[in-house]
Amino acid sequence: TTSKATRAANLQQLGKICLRRGQHEQSEQYLRDTLTLYMDSYKSEMHVNVSSIYLQLGNLEINRKQYENAAKALLEALRIRTTLFGESNPGVATILGELGKASKGQGDTAGAEGYLTRQLALLDSVESEVAWSGRGVGQRTAELHRCLCSLRALAKERNDKSG
């Protein structure tokens, strides 16, 4: 028999694949099954893999345009990730960007701007630069680009409404 960890990793990958293919219901089932296995294996929610599942569930809900559900899952991912690693972890920056999307989807442009501004500050910090060195400079650059584009779109939207 395969170990719970191996089964969970396989289910997580299947969840990602289904999400990319737009198979939302199947993706959610795989991700929730993965979450159950991780919680059973670790006996605690305080694990990076649990945070990653909540991030993926948040992405799933963004794809479904269920922004309130997305925000709940993403806030849980953020809580776990910051408890484990602190604010300057690259994963925190990714979650903040997704929270920006969820907030914008809910019509909360101020909240979206707040999350994206926090993401930008984190991505621009020296600690972040060191932390990202293990993940690749290109990935950090891509995150910065997405963040700046999102902030620019919010600013343009705000100017269009006020002008």
Side-chain angles (χ1 to χ4, degrees):
T1 66
T2 59
S3 71
K4 284 183 184 178
T6 301
R7 179 161 166 66
N10 289 338
L11 288 172
Q12 184 174 3
Q13 290 304 315
L14 287 169
K16 286 181 184 180
I17 291 166
C18 288
L19 180 57
R20 284 188 201 118
R21 291 181 174 176
Q23 299 168 333
H24 296 146
E25 291 76 21
Q26 189 63 54
S27 176
E28 181 177 17
Q29 187 60 55
Y30 285 135
L31 294 173
R32 294 217 179 268
D33 289 349
T34 304
L35 185 60
T36 300
L37 282 169
Y38 280 152
M39 297 292 275
D40 187 45
S41 296
Y42 302 137
K43 307 294 185 216
S44 168
E45 64 184 11
M46 288 299 152
H47 195 282
V48 66
N49 289 342
V50 174
S51 175
S52 293
I53 294 299
Y54 280 115
L55 172 60
Q56 289 172 14
L57 287 167
N59 287 333
L60 169 68
E61 296 299 348
I62 287 172
N63 283 328
R64 288 178 167 167
K65 301 190 183 329
Q66 299 296 315
Y67 300 111
E68 187 175 331
N69 292 340
K72 287 177 188 175
L74 293 166
L75 286 169
E76 189 63 14
L78 182 65
R79 183 185 68 79
I80 294 168
R81 187 72 60 135
T82 55
T83 299
L84 291 172
F85 303 111
E87 282 283 331
S88 62
N89 180 266
V92 170
T94 300
I95 296 167
L96 290 170
E98 296 305 307
L99 278 163
K101 289 179 193 175
S103 293
K104 185 175 186 305
Q106 291 179 48
D108 180 8
T109 54
E113 189 172 347
Y115 285 123
L116 292 168
T117 300
R118 280 177 62 194
Q119 181 190 30
L120 181 61
L122 177 56
L123 289 169
D124 204 31
S125 72
V126 173
E127 295 87 16
S128 174
E129 199 169 311
V130 170
W132 278 87
S133 64
R135 290 180 81 181
V137 176
Q139 192 172 357
R140 179 172 176 257
T141 302
E143 287 273 348
L144 272 167
H145 178 74
R146 281 190 294 274
C147 181
L148 290 170
C149 287
S150 296
L151 282 168
R152 185 181 316 122
L154 285 173
K156 183 178 182 327
E157 187 176 306
R158 188 175 49 246
N159 287 339
D160 287 349
K161 287 180 181 174
S162 66

